[in-house]
Amino acid sequence: MIVSATRRADLPAHYAAWFLERARAGWCAVPNPFNALQVSRVSLAAKDVEAIVFWTRDPRPMIPHLAELDRLGLPSVFQFTLLEYPSAIHPGMPPLVERIEAFRRLAGEIGPERVLWRYDPVLLCASAGTDYHLRMFEALCRELEGNTRRVTVSLMEPYRKARRRLAAAGVDLLAPGEGAVGAMFKDMAAMAHGCGMEPASCADEAGLEALGFVPGACIDAGLIKRLFEVETSAGKDASQRPACRCAPSRDIGMYDACPAGCAYCYATRDFALARRNRAAHDPASPSMLGRWEPQAQEQRQLLPGI
């Protein structure tokens, strides 16, 4: 089993202590996001886990514990999102220079093959048009050269709640011509190659393969097999959208858990609720939020809105 930690929140930034407690215990509890009465016990024992895939924008709280995870027999790779927008779009981000330094530090700890850069999502607006993204992407390629072997890009999915949040923040999305976007991505692919990175797409529905991007899988069974010499889960994760090429995995996160406040986030319905949930979080709980007990569901506790 590959464990996804997690598409639903920045676990390394906000729940590292909880994850370490659960890794030591060898399991965690995960309520079904569509039926909270169903609570799964997910093994984190080395015999059951092929790899952990961490998703993060700030891995610094997790970095001191990487050696312990290795001792526990839990190999990991990091999907590290690194790009910059005006603060109205992602207000909870540390300064860019700190995130770049965190990327380099992480790569120094575990190697560049295990730190996968995400320039994602590509959001086009008046303050971040195609020229902006080309300048930002080129600058980050230079900063990260030698610290990663792959960069994954994707256009923002225009979810209704994301459009609503962006509009409330005074951000008007642009719909530039197809040619301008195509030229941007073609140049980005060339920049990545020039800095020793493989350019990959995420759930490519925009035809990026023709512009120089390999069809990517964020949870990449082939990469995990090569890095850690394990037999990985075969096939496609049926729970993801049709264009997604990710291998099957078990996500251990919960929605409305990330307090960062990124306007384009699909995993948080209410940022005020997410911040309350994070403030009430107990690192000793079996579950990321609340206290869900798969073996004693009559003792479960429910935070408001979960």
Side-chain angles (χ1 to χ4, degrees):
M1 175 182 64
I2 299 171
V3 173
S4 173
T6 155
R7 286 182 170 97
R8 300 167 184 167
D10 191 334
L11 183 152
H14 303 294
Y15 297 94
W18 171 78
F19 181 81
L20 264 293
E21 288 298 316
R22 300 323 307 161
R24 293 164 186 153
W27 66 278
C28 67
V30 183
N32 185 325
F34 305 107
N35 182 357
L37 298 180
Q38 297 177 352
V39 183
S40 298
R41 180 186 174 106
V42 178
S43 175
L44 297 176
K47 65 182 179 63
D48 298 318
V49 176
E50 296 157 353
I52 310 288
V53 177
F54 289 112
W55 307 73
T56 190
R57 296 164 186 270
D58 184 5
R60 288 176 293 180
M62 185 67 75
I63 290 175
H65 306 291
L66 295 174
E68 181 178 357
L69 291 183
D70 286 342
R71 289 194 298 272
L72 290 170
L74 299 173
S76 61
V77 297
F78 281 73
Q79 289 281 349
F80 193 134
T81 295
L82 183 65
L83 75 172
E84 181 71 328
Y85 285 117
S87 59
I89 295 177
H90 59 192
M93 291 300 103
L96 179 60
V97 65
E98 294 183 12
R99 285 177 279 140
I100 292 171
E101 180 54 36
F103 196 110
R104 292 170 174 163
R105 181 182 168 198
L106 180 60
E109 292 281 342
I110 63 176
E113 295 83 4
R114 293 170 59 186
V115 187
L116 308 172
W117 176 25
R118 300 184 68 82
Y119 192 88
D120 163 71
V122 176
L123 179 159
L124 297 166
C125 62
S127 57
T130 55
D131 289 344
Y132 170 89
H133 282 291
L134 285 172
R135 291 193 303 271
M136 178 59 64
F137 188 80
E138 182 177 24
L140 290 175
C141 279
R142 295 183 187 280
E143 293 284 356
L144 301 181
E145 186 171 3
N147 292 281
T148 186
R149 303 288 184 250
R150 179 186 299 176
V151 56
T152 299
V153 305
S154 70
L155 284 167
M156 188 193 83
E157 284 288 322
Y159 297 108
R160 181 167 31 184
K161 59 187 172 185
R163 294 198 307 269
R164 185 170 61 247
R165 289 175 188 150
L166 288 165
V171 177
D172 293 323
L173 295 176
L174 297 179
E178 187 174 313
V181 174
M184 177 188 74
F185 280 119
K186 187 174 181 179
D187 287 347
M188 290 168 72
M191 292 172 188
H193 279 300
C195 290
M197 304 172 194
E198 177 187 56
S201 61
C202 173
D204 184 10
E205 296 174 331
L208 298 187
E209 186 174 6
L211 302 173
F213 289 82
V214 300
C218 303
I219 296 185
D220 187 337
L223 175 68
I224 289 169
K225 181 177 182 179
R226 177 171 59 81
L227 287 175
F228 307 122
E229 299 180 346
V230 295
E231 290 301 318
T232 53
S233 307
K236 177 192 179 309
D237 189 336
S239 68
Q240 301 301 319
R241 50 188 166 154
C244 178
R245 300 169 63 91
C246 284
S249 65
R250 187 65 170 88
D251 200 293
I252 61 170
M254 294 175 67
Y255 291 109
D256 292 317
C258 192
C262 299
Y264 45 75
C265 180
Y266 63 85
T268 304
R269 296 169 296 175
D270 183 324
F271 292 133
L273 171 62
R275 293 179 184 114
R276 292 196 302 272
N277 287 342
R278 176 62 185 86
H281 163 71
D282 177 5
S285 172
S287 53
M288 177 179 280
L289 298 178
R291 191 170 188 88
W292 298 86
E293 299 279 359
Q295 301 302 322
Q297 292 192 28
E298 70 278 2
Q299 299 177 10
R300 64 183 176 269
Q301 297 176 5
L302 181 64
L303 287 176
I306 296 177

